[in-house]
Amino acid sequence: MHGSRTATRTRRGLAAAVVAGALLTALTTATSASASTASTPVGGSKVVCTSGKPGLAPTLSQDLADALHGRKGSSALALYDRPTRTRCEFKAGAHFDSASVVKVTVLGALLRQAQEKHRALTPHEVKLTTDMITKSDNAATSALWHQIGAAGIQHFLSLAGMRHTVPGAGKAWGLTQVTAGDQLRLMQLLTTDNTVLTASSRGYALDLMHRVEADQRWGVPAGAPAETSVHVKNGWLPRDTGGWRVNSVGTFTCTGHDYGLAVLSTGNRTMDYGIDTVESAARVVHRDLTH
């Protein structure tokens, strides 16, 4: 009997993953005959953009390449905008230390666990998740990382289709290996009806990301129009080798636009230098999409 229940849960989990994966794949690949693609080389790689809006793909591709050209260290980005069917990628499959951007994944994993147990978050969990996202509190994150467990984190990653994310070993959640592509997939998951997270769970996560403390609102929100609704989570981590890791992910809605952006960087000599790299790319995105 136990084996039968396990098999049933496994089939349900796989079915949910297939449905969610198909939905997100459709969102990320939807184009039409009128969509155009453009690529611009930078640092031995290429910024590749596709858009259904005439002229936008080459503009974004060139402007992002210009913003990233000459920057020290290594960076990657991924972008979508639903109304214009725009996507951009730059080394979106490269791995980076997550630092605190992994906290959105931790939140997603907890919300998924609560859903599967048909329960609401406890008051203690509400406090921990609020501190983790709005204040980027590390102690709260460590407590939730331990509570969810490695299997719970991996279960959520599998359902979310974040196949290239590798959780940090043991207690080292900040050394989770993430890609810009997977981080963008997570942003899409939070802003799309799907079988992984309910509307209530997604709303809870986005509300926390909207209420990030003022001194942590740098990164991908840079250059967003004043009327834009911003949801953001940043991560920063200095290491003995490879300099500062500075990452930023977020989603944005304003008149005529519904988009998400993930920018990751490593090898920065200072935190401020990494922030400048992230924000240089972000300003291009907001300007080119909304003007």
Side-chain angles (χ1 to χ4, degrees), residues 179-220:
T179 68
D182 270 8
Q183 288 297 295
L184 192 72
R185 182 173 287 269
L186 179 57
M187 296 302 102
Q188 289 175 298
L189 188 76
L190 293 177
T191 55
T192 307
D193 288 338
N194 62 79
T195 60
V196 181
L197 293 176
T198 63
S200 177
S201 290
R202 291 185 283 108
Y204 181 80
L206 289 171
D207 177 63
L208 292 182
M209 293 173 70
H210 183 64
R211 295 192 286 118
V212 166
E213 293 191 346
D215 64 349
Q216 295 181 27
R217 288 182 170 270
W218 49 265
V220 292

Side-chain angles (χ1 to χ4, degrees), residues 80 184 187 209 220 231-233 248-252 259-262:
Y80 72 83
L184 192 72
M187 296 302 102
M209 293 173 70
V220 292
H231 312 88
V232 63
K233 184 69 195 81
S248 185
V249 300
T251 71
F252 309 90
Y259 55 109
L261 176 63

Side-chain angles (χ1 to χ4, degrees), residues 110-120 125 147-148:
L110 176 68
L111 291 169
R112 177 65 194 188
Q113 278 192 344
Q115 286 176 200
E116 291 183 353
K117 295 177 181 178
H118 305 289
R119 68 171 181 84
E125 288 170 337
Q147 175 184 323
I148 296 163

Side-chain angles (χ1 to χ4, degrees), residues 41-44 47 62-72 75 90 273 277 280:
V42 57
V47 178
Q62 183 64 60
D63 289 351
L64 283 169
D66 289 345
L68 296 171
H69 178 72
R71 301 298 298 177
K72 305 297 183 183
S75 59
F90 175 66
Y273 187 87
T277 296
S280 293

Side-chain angles (χ1 to χ4, degrees), residues 52-291:
K53 182 177 179 179
L56 184 56
T59 297
L60 264 173
S61 177
Q62 183 64 60
D63 289 351
L64 283 169
D66 289 345
L68 296 171
H69 178 72
R71 301 298 298 177
K72 305 297 183 183
S74 180
S75 59
L77 68 82
L79 161 74
Y80 72 83
D81 177 45
R82 289 189 176 98
T84 60
R85 292 176 292 109
T86 297
R87 289 192 60 81
C88 290
E89 292 188 347
F90 175 66
K91 296 192 290 188
H95 281 96
F96 291 75
D97 292 336
S98 66
S100 289
V101 293
V102 75
K103 293 172 181 178
V104 184
T105 298
V106 174
L107 176 58
L110 176 68
L111 291 169
R112 177 65 194 188
Q113 278 192 344
Q115 286 176 200
E116 291 183 353
K117 295 177 181 178
H118 305 289
R119 68 171 181 84
L121 296 187
T122 67
H124 183 56
E125 288 170 337
V126 169
K127 183 181 188 324
L128 289 176
T129 53
T130 300
D131 289 349
M132 176 176 69
I133 300 298
T134 66
K135 301 178 182 178
S136 205
D137 186 89
N138 291 337
T141 309
S142 294
L144 290 170
W145 183 263
H146 175 73
Q147 175 184 323
I148 296 163
I153 296 292
Q154 188 57 59
H155 178 57
F156 175 72
L157 291 173
S158 298
L159 291 178
M162 297 168 66
R163 296 182 298 275
H164 305 291
T165 299
V166 182
K171 300 177 181 179
W173 47 262
L175 298 183
T176 295
Q177 297 300 290
V178 299
T179 68
D182 270 8
Q183 288 297 295
L184 192 72
R185 182 173 287 269
L186 179 57
M187 296 302 102
Q188 289 175 298
L189 188 76
L190 293 177
T191 55
T192 307
D193 288 338
N194 62 79
T195 60
V196 181
L197 293 176
T198 63
S200 177
S201 290
R202 291 185 283 108
Y204 181 80
L206 289 171
D207 177 63
L208 292 182
M209 293 173 70
H210 183 64
R211 295 192 286 118
V212 166
E213 293 191 346
D215 64 349
Q216 295 181 27
R217 288 182 170 270
W218 49 265
V220 292
E227 69 275 14
T228 305
S229 179
V230 173
H231 312 88
V232 63
K233 184 69 195 81
N234 296 322
W236 57 99
L237 175 69
R239 299 196 69 187
D240 292 338
T241 58
W244 281 82
R245 281 69 166 158
V246 180
N247 307 319
S248 185
V249 300
T251 71
F252 309 90
T253 53
C254 61
T255 304
H257 294 280
D258 171 11
Y259 55 109
L261 176 63
V263 186
L264 312 178
S265 72
T266 190
N268 301 292
R269 60 179 179 264
T270 65
M271 180 178 171
D272 284 344
Y273 187 87
I275 291 175
D276 286 344
T277 296
V278 171
E279 293 190 343
S280 293
R283 288 190 180 93
V284 164
V285 167
H286 296 300
R287 183 192 69 212
D288 288 357
L289 280 182
T290 62
H291 290 85

